[in-house]
């Protein structure tokens, strides 16, 4: 499945101002939180409005990334970014490593259960402290499926399928 190089890939979310000098705290999506700091420009979207911001400073801080954008000098200015989704254009990202996938590429994939039954499509990925959780919308109901090796048998982005060790009645 070929992807549009201009497609935006969600990479995190600004959760709050950090300190009093214009920094923001970002909850990154995925495990490689420090990777965001390698990009000089981020695209922020909030309430349907998108804008590019230059990253003046950035570092990993625990489970988060903290960053200061060009022209953002105090807490009040940083507050304006709260709730913004951080995205990058697909062409700026390196290809996913073997046996890895960008979370954005999972959205829309068909989910098959242990016996090959169609359970639905992935509509959202929820970030939890232990592991991501797939929100799978089926015709009969919605399921929350942990994205962990014992549950995930195979992910084939090209074929558009995720196979689970998960029963239809679970």
């Amino acid at each position: 499945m070929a992807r549009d190089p201009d497609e935006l890939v969600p990479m995190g979310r600004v959760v709050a101002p950090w300190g009093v000098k214009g920094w923001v705290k970002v909850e990154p999506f995925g495990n490689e939180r420090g990777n965001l700091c390698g990009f000089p420009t981020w695209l922020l979207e909030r309430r349907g409005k998108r804008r590019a911001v230059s990253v003046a400073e950035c570092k990993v801080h625990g489970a988060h990334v903290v960053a200061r954008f060009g022209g953002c000098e105090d807490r009040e200015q940083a507050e304006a970014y709260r709730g913004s989704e951080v995205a990058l254009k697909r062409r700026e990202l390196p290809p996913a490593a073997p046996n890895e996938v960008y979370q954005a590429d999972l959205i829309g994939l068909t989910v098959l259960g242990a016996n090959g039954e169609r359970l639905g499509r992935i509509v959202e990925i929820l970030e939890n402290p232990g592991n991501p959780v797939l929100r799978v919308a089926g015709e009969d109901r919605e399921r929350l499926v942990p994205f962990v090796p014992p549950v995930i048998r195979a992910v084939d982005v090209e074929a558009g399928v995720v196979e689970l060790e998960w029963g239809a009645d679970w």
Side-chain angles (χ1 to χ4, degrees):
M1 176 188 313
R3 299 283 185 161
D4 178 356
D6 288 327
E7 175 187 10
L8 296 182
V9 178
M11 301 298 288
R13 179 173 294 108
V14 177
V15 293
W18 188 74
V20 296
K21 295 185 178 182
W23 288 70
V24 295
K25 181 161 77 169
V26 177
E27 175 187 20
F29 301 152
N31 296 329
E32 302 298 323
R33 59 189 172 274
N35 288 352
L36 265 176
C37 291
F39 296 92
T41 303
W42 296 353
L43 297 167
L44 301 182
E45 186 169 332
R46 182 173 176 217
R47 297 185 185 139
K49 294 182 180 177
R50 184 178 306 144
R51 64 178 160 175
V53 295
S54 64
V55 179
E57 298 178 76
C58 184
K59 61 186 175 183
V60 174
H61 184 74
H64 294 89
V65 168
V66 291
R68 190 180 61 77
F69 305 134
C72 187
E73 303 298 332
D74 62 37
R75 185 175 183 86
E76 187 175 306
Q77 290 175 320
E79 180 65 42
Y81 294 106
R82 183 191 295 265
S84 297
E85 186 171 87
V86 177
L88 298 170
K89 287 189 178 181
R90 182 168 295 280
R91 77 170 89 119
E92 297 173 328
L93 300 171
N99 297 318
E100 291 188 2
V101 63
Y102 286 107
Q103 287 185 4
D105 293 342
L106 297 172
I107 303 296
L109 298 188
T110 298
V111 177
L112 303 177
N115 296 318
E117 66 276 25
R118 186 180 187 283
L119 301 178
R121 291 195 178 276
I122 299 170
V123 294
E124 183 180 12
I125 299 168
L126 307 169
E127 287 293 326
N128 287 322
N131 55 268
V133 173
L134 306 177
R135 187 164 69 89
V136 179
E139 291 181 20
D140 59 338
R141 64 184 183 150
E142 188 171 279
R143 293 173 175 85
L144 297 177
V145 179
F147 194 67
V148 294
V151 175
I152 306 298
R153 277 192 197 162
V155 175
D156 188 339
V157 174
E158 296 301 317
V161 174
V162 175
E163 296 175 17
L164 305 180
E165 185 62 49
W166 197 269
D169 56 344
W170 294 4

